[in-house]
Amino acid sequence: MTEDGIGVPLRRREDRRFLTGRGRYVHDIMLPQQLHAVFLRSPHAHAEIAAIDKAEALASPGVEAIFTAEDVTADKLNGVPCAWGIAGKDGRPMKEPPHPLLARGKVRHVGDPVAIVIAHSVEAARTAAELIRVEYPHPAGSHRSQRGDDGRRAPAL
């Protein structure tokens, strides 16, 4: 084994502060007039979004704003792009599908972000997020035809 080659242990400088509880994380940063964001996420694996009612949540103490897909689209905020572009063998940039900030019209997986609550504290944002009413008319797996009369899911055949 060489002194500076493969297999040589690296002396890390940051470990001591983290192991002794003196590490500084992004969560530890508190700035004057700082606001906090909480995402309201879908509980469904696949469902259409019929309506989002954020009126009660907007009236909640400490809430500055609540954004849905319609809001970010109206403000012309684009989605989250790939971290870096990749070129094909011919040198042309890759075709990148849209990566919307928030689910618009339907959710595609459990945890799909539906709304963002901005508030003066994390607690205020979480409380407001719980007050947002999202109407999912027919989440996947909840159609009457897929359930028995007693409401239990029919066995897969």
Side-chain angles (χ1 to χ4, degrees):
M1 199 178 335
T2 63
E3 287 184 30
D4 59 352
I6 296 173
V8 175
L10 298 175
R11 191 97 171 122
R12 293 172 35 141
R13 290 177 266 165
E14 69 275 6
D15 287 351
R16 182 173 256 3
R17 67 177 172 206
F18 292 125
L19 293 173
T20 58
R22 293 186 312 238
R24 185 170 163 115
Y25 300 89
V26 173
H27 184 74
D28 299 328
I29 297 171
M30 292 294 174
L31 302 172
Q33 301 177 353
Q34 176 174 311
L35 296 174
H36 302 267
V38 168
F39 287 84
L40 175 66
R41 297 182 177 275
S42 167
H44 303 293
H46 184 83
E48 290 184 19
I49 299 173
I52 300 176
D53 181 3
K54 57 186 182 177
E56 186 179 358
L58 276 168
S60 186
V63 173
E64 285 292 317
I66 298 175
F67 300 102
T68 63
E70 285 69 29
D71 300 318
V72 297
T73 301
D75 289 341
K76 295 184 174 42
L77 296 176
N78 294 327
V80 181
C82 181
W84 54 86
I86 300 171
K89 291 180 183 178
D90 60 0
R92 290 187 300 172
M94 70 177 188
K95 293 181 181 177
E96 188 174 355
H99 300 278
L101 295 172
L102 299 169
R104 181 174 183 144
K106 67 179 170 180
V107 293
R108 291 166 175 82
H109 59 86
V110 172
D112 207 356
V114 175
I116 306 171
V117 179
I118 309 296
H120 290 278
S121 70
V122 173
E123 295 78 20
R126 284 183 183 145
T127 300
E130 291 174 3
L131 297 174
I132 298 172
R133 299 290 167 242
V134 181
E135 185 181 331
Y136 302 102
H138 301 292
S142 68
H143 293 340
R144 198 70 176 137
S145 63
Q146 295 175 333
R147 297 190 177 270
D149 290 335
D150 59 359
R152 294 188 315 183
R153 189 158 177 76
L157 300 177

